Amino acid sequence: VAEVPAECVIGVDLGGTKAIAGAVDASLAVHYRGRREVPTSDLEALLETLTELVEEVREAVGGEVEGVGFGIPCLIDQDRGLAASSVHLPINGVAFADVMAERVGLPVFMDNDGNLALLAEQRAGAAHGERNAVMLTLGTGIAGGIVIGGELYRGSQGAAGEFGHMIVWADGPACGPGCRSRGCLETLVSGTALSREALALASRSPASRLGQALAAGREVSGPLVTELAFDGDGDALALLEELGTWLGIGLVNVVNIFNPDVVVIGGGVIAAGELILAPARRVLAERALAFPAEHVRVEAAHFGAESGMLGAALFARERLGERVRA
Amino acid sequence: VAEVPAECVIGVDLGGTKAIAGAVDASLAVHYRGRREVPTSDLEALLETLTELVEEVREAVGGEVEGVGFGIPCLIDQDRGLAASSVHLPINGVAFADVMAERVGLPVFMDNDGNLALLAEQRAGAAHGERNAVMLTLGTGIAGGIVIGGELYRGSQGAAGEFGHMIVWADGPACGPGCRSRGCLETLVSGTALSREALALASRSPASRLGQALAAGREVSGPLVTELAFDGDGDALALLEELGTWLGIGLVNVVNIFNPDVVVIGGGVIAAGELILAPARRVLAERALAFPAEHVRVEAAHFGAESGMLGAALFARERLGERVRA
């Protein structure tokens, strides 16, 4: 008989500004990738964009798809199956998985995006097989995930792991919409923070390379900073060093609180790699309690920017398996 | 036959400056209490003091004691049975439980003091039966405990729950010996912090009631501040309000990270009760993510300053039970 390809599930990582989707088989091989900018103020437009994205991926692999997993940037009300509180998207109070299941005609499962990124890393990536792990996903904001005893810890209402809203500078910068606090980690360590600082530098130093890029009409944000830093630009390197130093403060807290085996750093910002991880590790070594700090590994996400998408697929596959066994 | 009293275990809560011990029966009734100031620089003197304390309690209940539990202010190296890293006491690298067992001739069990305080509260106190709980014990420093899914979470090497060394003000006051960081929560929220601020106020305001107490040779520390605050003194009330406000910052982080059912506040400082809990709850309501903040209870320890001692006794009893079953 001819070899039948393993059945795929679709994983979708919904971020604060874009969604990436993949058709993923049981070995975590990705057979097709799709990507969309997402509408961030209109719920109907957002749901329509996501439906189109799922359909595109499904058709690309011949329609044979068992289910869809979504990682969403949102606290999840597990008891009621609702998206409970999103800082970035207009999905508060929406029965997101049920609504999407009806639209795409497939079983749909949802969890917090940070949880699912860590699920992928713990099942098959940088935290593979570790009992206790934490992940920070640095994107528009910070998504977080916690593994305790080898399983995701979601908190009493599915809202745990919001490391982006850990206060590290009590009187620091005001946080974004949906948060009423100041000096949250994500005001200092995120793509948004990096863009803000890069734009400020470009504006006050027109002769700098960032300033020249701004004048030339380029988008002054994280990817440009990382590109210039790898090219040796001192300003860009300093911006990443500053971000990495603040990341290190966050790691001190994570390590002193969780005494984990590993902390995984993912998301788009981690494209800068050691340029932010080296200063972060230095601060961790200098300021964390020595005993847990000596033990912990701090690693870039093995799956890079795809942890969330792969984790969403893994989650859907695990949940489908539970249904079959039940 | 005559009624035989339930057999007791001895629980010892070893703090940064003193130890309290109790003979505790299976219903958590305390049949005798003992207390010692402890030597904080000489290991041999410390061990001798603790041995005397255990003997005093044992004799007071007629010698019938099954074992001893110690809560110690120290990271615990569970793999090797060592006190791994204490900020306050000279016990680093000491096989504390083994050494004490030999001295007192009874089975001895040890765990971190913060863990054991929460054990008592989760088994029978303010966190009774809750799945997910965090406790901060405000004493010389801050001891912490974490319950996940109804059981203590100790981290990968037994070093988890060090909320006192969570940075909340990146460039804040230098932390104490054994920590190389700044702006740790315990530099702002602890008996030590309260004494420091009270003494500073007394020194700069000799006409204040704190200043008069200083001039009269009284010890200007937490208990005096609490006494004056309950008596309506504005300076003392302001000091507790400031401490409670910083406690609230710590609670924001705990709630955003753990999404717990309850956070329990214990230790000597909690004698001030609502004078620190009210401002802490206000900051939590203002600055935490609304969804987990609306769910969580913030409670004073049901067992007050005895949570740690009772938890040490509970721990010894649970471990003795495991031996019998094994």
Side-chain angles (χ1 to χ4, degrees):
Chain A
V1 293
E3 190 181 28
V4 178
E7 296 245 339
C8 282
V9 295
I10 294 176
V12 183
D13 183 21
L14 177 55
T17 58
K18 57 182 180 285
I20 65 175
V24 181
D25 71 22
S27 71
L28 282 187
V30 181
H31 293 266
Y32 180 82
R33 289 172 171 83
R35 184 188 176 94
R36 290 279 194 295
E37 301 289 313
V38 296
T40 57
S41 55
D42 179 347
L43 173 63
E44 176 55 33
L46 171 64
L47 296 172
E48 188 54 33
T49 297
L50 294 173
T51 303
E52 288 169 13
L53 176 59
V54 169
E55 291 302 334
E56 174 193 323
V57 175
R58 186 183 196 177
E59 285 170 23
V61 294
E64 292 300 318
V65 163
E66 297 178 275
V68 185
F70 277 90
I72 65 178
C74 189
L75 307 186
I76 309 277
D77 184 337
Q78 289 193 312
D79 294 341
R80 298 191 291 162
L82 302 179
S85 172
S86 177
V87 171
H88 302 292
L89 295 174
I91 53 180
N92 291 350
V94 176
F96 182 86
D98 293 344
V99 169
M100 287 305 301
E102 189 171 326
R103 288 183 178 235
V104 301
L106 287 167
V108 171
F109 308 91
M110 68 171 173
D111 200 348
N112 176 268
D113 56 348
N115 290 348
L116 296 184
L118 179 53
L119 183 68
E121 295 293 332
Q122 196 272 344
R123 294 289 191 264
H128 186 199
E130 297 286 17
R131 287 182 306 149
N132 303 312
V134 170
M135 183 166 178
L136 306 183
T137 302
L138 313 180
T140 307
I142 296 179
I146 301 168
V147 159
I148 299 286
E151 296 300 329
L152 285 173
Y153 170 70
R154 296 183 172 87
S156 292
Q157 279 75 42
E162 290 291 330
F163 296 101
H165 300 284
M166 175 168 66
I167 299 168
V168 292
W169 180 9
D171 296 319
C175 196
C179 178
R180 306 150 300 163
S181 192
R182 311 186 68 80
C184 296
L185 190 64
E186 75 176 42
T187 67
L188 302 154
V189 184
S190 63
T192 306
L194 186 56
S195 297
R196 180 193 68 215
E197 295 301 317
L199 204 55
L201 192 150
S203 301
R204 72 173 178 264
S205 303
S208 68
R209 289 188 64 183
L210 282 165
Q212 291 168 17
L214 181 64
R218 291 191 65 182
E219 186 186 2
V220 174
S221 64
L224 176 64
V225 175
T226 300
E227 178 193 322
L228 292 178
F230 278 125
D231 200 33
D233 179 60
D235 291 327
L237 285 164
L239 289 174
L240 292 175
E241 166 106 13
E242 173 80 0
L243 184 144
T245 299
W246 280 108
L247 175 60
I249 301 277
L251 293 181
V252 169
N253 291 0
V254 166
V255 167
N256 286 348
I257 292 171
F258 285 94
N259 178 210
D261 299 301
V262 61
V263 183
V264 182
I265 310 298
V269 177
I270 198 60
E274 289 301 313
L275 297 180
I276 61 171
L277 286 182
R281 288 198 192 96
R282 192 189 65 237
V283 171
L284 182 67
E286 288 169 359
R287 296 184 62 168
L289 295 172
F291 183 59
E294 283 160 12
H295 169 76
V296 72
R297 293 187 293 121
V298 176
E299 306 279 356
H302 176 75
F303 296 115
E306 293 201 327
S307 306
M309 181 267 280
L310 292 168
L314 267 168
F315 181 66
R317 189 175 295 282
E318 291 186 5
R319 284 292 169 98
L320 285 163
E322 287 165 16
R323 281 196 185 176
V324 169
R325 286 193 297 275
Chain B
V1 294
E3 189 180 29
V4 178
E7 296 245 338
C8 283
V9 295
I10 295 175
V12 183
D13 184 20
L14 176 55
T17 56
K18 57 183 178 283
I20 64 175
V24 181
D25 71 21
S27 70
L28 284 186
V30 182
H31 293 264
Y32 181 83
R33 290 172 171 84
R35 184 187 176 95
R36 290 281 194 292
E37 299 290 313
V38 296
T40 57
S41 55
D42 179 346
L43 174 62
E44 177 55 33
L46 171 65
L47 296 172
E48 189 53 34
T49 298
L50 295 173
T51 304
E52 288 169 12
L53 176 59
V54 169
E55 291 303 333
E56 173 192 326
V57 174
R58 188 185 195 175
E59 285 169 24
V61 294
E64 291 300 317
V65 162
E66 297 179 275
V68 185
F70 277 90
I72 64 178
C74 188
L75 307 186
I76 310 278
D77 184 337
Q78 289 191 312
D79 295 341
R80 299 190 291 161
L82 302 179
S85 172
S86 178
V87 170
H88 302 291
L89 294 174
I91 53 179
N92 291 350
V94 175
F96 182 85
D98 293 344
V99 168
M100 286 305 301
E102 189 171 326
R103 290 185 176 234
V104 301
L106 287 168
V108 171
F109 308 90
M110 68 172 173
D111 200 348
N112 175 269
D113 55 348
N115 291 348
L116 296 185
L118 179 52
L119 183 68
E121 295 293 333
Q122 197 273 342
R123 293 289 191 264
H128 184 201
E130 297 286 16
R131 288 183 306 150
N132 303 312
V134 170
M135 183 165 178
L136 305 184
T137 302
L138 313 180
T140 307
I142 296 179
I146 301 168
V147 159
I148 299 286
E151 295 301 330
L152 284 174
Y153 170 71
R154 296 183 172 86
S156 291
Q157 279 76 42
E162 290 292 329
F163 295 100
H165 300 283
M166 176 168 66
I167 299 168
V168 293
W169 179 9
D171 296 318
C175 196
C179 178
R180 306 150 299 163
S181 192
R182 311 186 68 81
C184 297
L185 189 64
E186 76 176 41
T187 67
L188 302 154
V189 183
S190 63
T192 306
L194 186 56
S195 297
R196 179 192 68 216
E197 296 301 317
L199 203 55
L201 192 149
S203 301
R204 71 174 179 266
S205 301
S208 67
R209 289 188 64 183
L210 282 164
Q212 293 169 16
L214 181 65
R218 291 191 64 182
E219 185 187 3
V220 174
S221 63
L224 177 63
V225 175
T226 300
E227 178 193 322
L228 292 178
F230 279 125
D231 201 32
D233 179 59
D235 291 326
L237 285 165
L239 288 173
L240 293 175
E241 166 108 12
E242 174 78 0
L243 185 144
T245 300
W246 280 109
L247 175 61
I249 301 278
L251 292 181
V252 169
N253 291 0
V254 166
V255 167
N256 286 347
I257 292 171
F258 285 94
N259 178 208
D261 299 301
V262 61
V263 183
V264 182
I265 310 298
V269 177
I270 199 59
E274 290 300 313
L275 297 179
I276 61 171
L277 287 181
R281 289 198 191 97
R282 193 189 64 237
V283 171
L284 182 67
E286 287 170 0
R287 295 184 62 168
L289 295 172
F291 183 59
E294 284 160 11
H295 169 76
V296 73
R297 292 186 295 121
V298 176
E299 306 280 356
H302 176 75
F303 297 115
E306 293 202 325
S307 306
M309 181 268 281
L310 291 169
L314 267 168
F315 181 65
R317 189 174 295 282
E318 291 186 5
R319 284 292 170 96
L320 285 164
E322 288 165 16
R323 283 195 183 177
V324 170
R325 286 191 297 274

